[in-house]
Amino acid sequence: MVELVIFVLMGAVTLAGAIGVVRARNPVYGAMGLMATLFALAVFYVVHLAHFVAVVQVIVYAGAVITLFLFVIMFVGVDRAEDLREKLAVQRPVALIVLVGVVVLAGALVVTGRFDWVIASGDPPVVRGTIEEIGENLISVGPPSDRQASRWLLPFEATSLLLIVAAVGAIALAFYRPRRKDEPPAGPDTGPGS
């Protein structure tokens, strides 16, 4: 029952964040929707006992990649004036109420000690996503006939290449400055002395 409630709540957050990414007119709001989607996916990983994958999801994607996106968005859209008026008058009080509720709930759980991480009784569930299993799947060495040997090495390296290309593209976009019509093209002989 608890898993169903978590699934429905985090599924709604994931869908709302994904729709926010697509529908947001402001790219910063789109990046925030993407962050909500990534956090909800991390909760799905925790429910499936893949704690290491959930931590990597939060640190790498919701942390570093979203920070990179926001860095590029801020550099590209720095010349546009933003409307600083508050559009949602109830946003701050609702956020404060949610914050107080979370702090009170966490404090009550810590003080009473009425929480444990056991999902179900009986046989322990098969734990997936541990560091040992990920390491074996990434860099296990075996004979060429063994189909299980390093089955995730190629997708892992392809993902790292994709992230490097995204970082280079973000840096290139950050330093890109469109040329004005009255400005001469840049070249080797257009220095200050010519």
Side-chain angles (χ1 to χ4, degrees):
M1 182 64 181
V2 174
E3 289 88 1
L4 179 63
V5 171
I6 292 174
F7 176 78
V8 169
L9 287 175
M10 291 300 110
V13 170
T14 304
L15 287 175
I19 291 171
V21 170
V22 176
R23 302 273 309 179
R25 292 184 180 199
N26 190 335
V28 175
Y29 294 154
M32 292 297 116
L34 182 59
M35 185 181 292
T37 301
L38 294 175
F39 273 118
L41 288 177
V43 173
F44 285 140
Y45 291 140
V46 170
V47 168
H48 289 289
L49 301 178
H51 301 331
F52 179 73
V53 179
V55 168
V56 169
Q57 170 84 10
V58 170
I59 291 172
V60 173
Y61 291 105
V65 173
I66 294 297
T67 303
L68 182 68
F69 285 172
L70 288 173
F71 176 76
V72 172
I73 288 169
M74 294 301 175
F75 263 119
V76 171
V78 75
D79 58 345
R80 188 175 53 184
E82 292 288 335
D83 185 15
L84 300 177
R85 288 178 292 167
E86 186 75 41
K87 292 188 173 78
L88 300 173
V90 297
Q91 180 177 359
R92 290 183 191 204
V94 169
L96 186 61
I97 290 170
V98 169
L99 175 67
V100 168
V102 168
V103 168
V104 167
L105 179 64
L109 287 175
V110 169
V111 169
T112 61
R114 294 184 184 211
F115 66 94
D116 52 13
W117 296 103
V118 177
I119 303 296
S121 60
D123 293 335
V126 176
V127 178
R128 300 279 182 195
T130 62
I131 298 174
E132 292 86 5
E133 183 182 17
I134 292 171
E136 286 175 4
N137 285 329
L138 279 179
I139 57 173
S140 61
V141 178
S145 63
D146 186 10
R147 296 194 183 272
Q148 296 296 326
S150 66
R151 60 181 175 170
W152 293 108
L153 183 62
L154 183 63
F156 179 75
E157 293 298 331
T159 303
S160 65
L161 178 66
L162 180 68
L163 289 174
I164 289 172
V165 169
V168 170
I171 292 170
L173 282 175
F175 287 108
Y176 173 73
R177 185 175 62 100
R179 188 175 51 145
R180 294 188 308 235
K181 291 181 180 179
D182 59 344
E183 184 178 336
D189 59 344
T190 60
S194 58

